[in-house]
């Protein structure tokens, strides 16, 4: 497979391809043309060809894409053939929601632990996993080969926790705190800024009214 | 203000500008050059000028941007000077988390109701608001001038609910269900596909290891 640099815009679209290809696979579809995929996904066929060409010849002229093969290949590109160990920092409602969401496990994302600073919450169990004190953070990460930390804590706490995480073996932070984190470049950060998303919806609603 | 079409990419970046400008405002900063803003936000000064030029002359050569003015203007563009009435459909952990997140209210997003189909959940209270049966959906939307519906339900249920919402006065859907909704063009949809975001993080982690 080619390993040239792929833009983050393309990467952002890959999970959606994976979702649609998974549905096609479930429906028993073996191959699909870029035109058919285009009408399902409501993106142009040329965009699909351009995106998928980044990964080298999956499509064949006049034949289309092999669904299962393409599904597997995109899965591999996204690291879905590997297992990742996660912890959640912040055992509030959002932390609970993510911890309970089983589909992540099917994708190889294994939640190993959940942390909080609130003494009323520490020691309680979620799905048979005990909420731990943030004091144990570094030790737990080392002992359990944790790759990804999920931050579901207020922004004031997030900066300090991110700094602590920077000194561990953590490779990625999935950040729900409403602040941009400042971490060394070997740590990847993926932000989910929910307010930003809601504001974008607000813009589009109000624009529609003009 | 100019009303020409602004790309969704620019719109996506506006909430982040608003966040940084809000912080500057809180720090008592009155004006800022695109260079200073650039080094804070870690985007190029030329990107900042390009983005903000979309909305007409906020910046003045050699003077910089007036922080409070720019904050207010971007806020207005994003509809933050208006109030939006929301309902949440799905009273699970994620629905709870969003309902409890007070910062949305500060931005004018008022959660008016929360719905579920589970008889064990219907009738319970969250922050003094009773969880209602989905049977009351259409009536509640009309009577309470609801603009936005938040979907925190499984994808199998989301398609049906989206179809019901299409026949109401709803203007926007904030969709957390892991499926693309098919709604009439007068309804704006903003998707938060959490799995997609986690997969993107997985890609970036694994790429870093190659």
């Amino acid at each position: 497979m080619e390993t040239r640099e792929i833009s983050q815009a393309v990467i952002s679209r890959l999970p959606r391809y994976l979702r649609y290809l998974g549905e096609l696979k479930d429906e028993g579809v073996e191959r699909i043309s870029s035109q058919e995929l285009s009408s399902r996904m409501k993106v142009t066929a040329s965009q699909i060809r351009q995106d998928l060409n980044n990964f080298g010849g999956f499509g064949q002229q006049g034949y289309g894409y092999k669904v299962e093969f393409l599904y597997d290949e995109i899965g591999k590109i996204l690291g879905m053939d590997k297992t990742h160990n996660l912890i959640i920092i912040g055992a509030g409602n959002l932390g609970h929601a993510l911890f309970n969401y089983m589909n992540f496990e099917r994708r190889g994302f294994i939640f190993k632990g959940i942390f909080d600073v609130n003494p009323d919450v520490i020691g309680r169990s979620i799905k048979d996993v005990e909420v731990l004190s943030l004091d144990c953070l570094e030790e737990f990460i080392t002992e359990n080969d944790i790759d990804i930390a999920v931050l579901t804590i207020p922004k004031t706490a997030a900066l300090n926790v991110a700094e602590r995480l920077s000194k561990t073996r953590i490779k990625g932070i999935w950040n729900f705190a409403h602040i941009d984190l400042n971490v060394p470049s070997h740590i990847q950060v993926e932000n989910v800024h929910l307010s930003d998303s809601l504001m974008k919806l607000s813009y589009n609603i109000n624009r529609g009214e003009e």
Side-chain angles (χ1 to χ4, degrees), chain A residues 30-197:
Chain A
E30 289 183 6
R31 59 191 173 95
I32 191 164
S33 65
S34 48
Q35 286 77 16
E36 286 171 281
L37 196 54
S38 154
S39 83
R40 271 205 181 223
M41 294 185 63
K42 291 177 184 153
V43 289
T44 65
S46 105
Q47 162 108 78
I48 290 178
R49 281 191 295 266
Q50 238 172 50
D51 281 350
L52 299 181
N53 276 348
N54 274 291
F55 310 102
F58 291 148
Q60 286 154 273
Q61 194 69 38
Y63 178 86
Y65 298 100
K66 289 184 191 161
V67 170
E68 188 162 356
F69 177 77
L70 190 52
Y71 176 86
D72 290 343
E73 288 301 309
I74 293 181
K76 276 184 224 164
I77 290 160
L78 291 171
M80 294 302 102
D81 54 337
K82 302 194 179 85
T83 295
H84 296 98
N85 293 333
L86 283 74
I87 51 170
I88 294 180
I89 302 173
N93 284 312
L94 183 57
H96 268 78
L98 297 173
F99 200 81
N100 281 317
Y101 189 59
M102 292 305 297
N103 280 341
F104 294 142
E105 301 228 334
R106 288 199 305 120
R107 292 277 185 215
F109 298 102
I110 315 294
F111 289 104
K112 292 282 187 178
I114 181 158
F115 292 81
D116 211 293
V117 290
N118 183 348
D120 294 340
V121 175
I122 295 166
R124 287 197 197 172
S125 287
I126 305 174
K127 281 203 303 183
D128 297 329
V129 174
E130 192 188 335
V131 179
L132 297 174
S133 160
L134 203 58
D135 295 342
C136 321
L137 181 68
E138 287 82 357
E139 199 185 331
F140 188 93
I141 288 172
T142 310
E143 285 178 2
N144 294 278
D145 299 334
I146 303 300
D147 308 305
I148 296 175
V150 186
L151 299 194
T152 55
I153 48 180
K155 64 179 178 179
T156 42
L159 291 180
N160 175 261
V161 169
E163 204 183 316
R164 285 175 63 182
L165 290 171
S166 301
K167 294 167 193 147
T168 69
R169 69 186 296 283
I170 286 286
K171 294 171 199 157
I173 297 178
W174 199 23
N175 176 41
F176 288 79
H178 198 217
I179 194 163
D180 295 323
L181 304 176
N182 195 5
V183 293
S185 62
H186 70 271
I187 298 185
Q188 305 295 326
V189 178
E190 176 71 18
N191 293 307
V192 183
H193 290 323
L194 294 176
S195 308
D196 291 12
S197 158

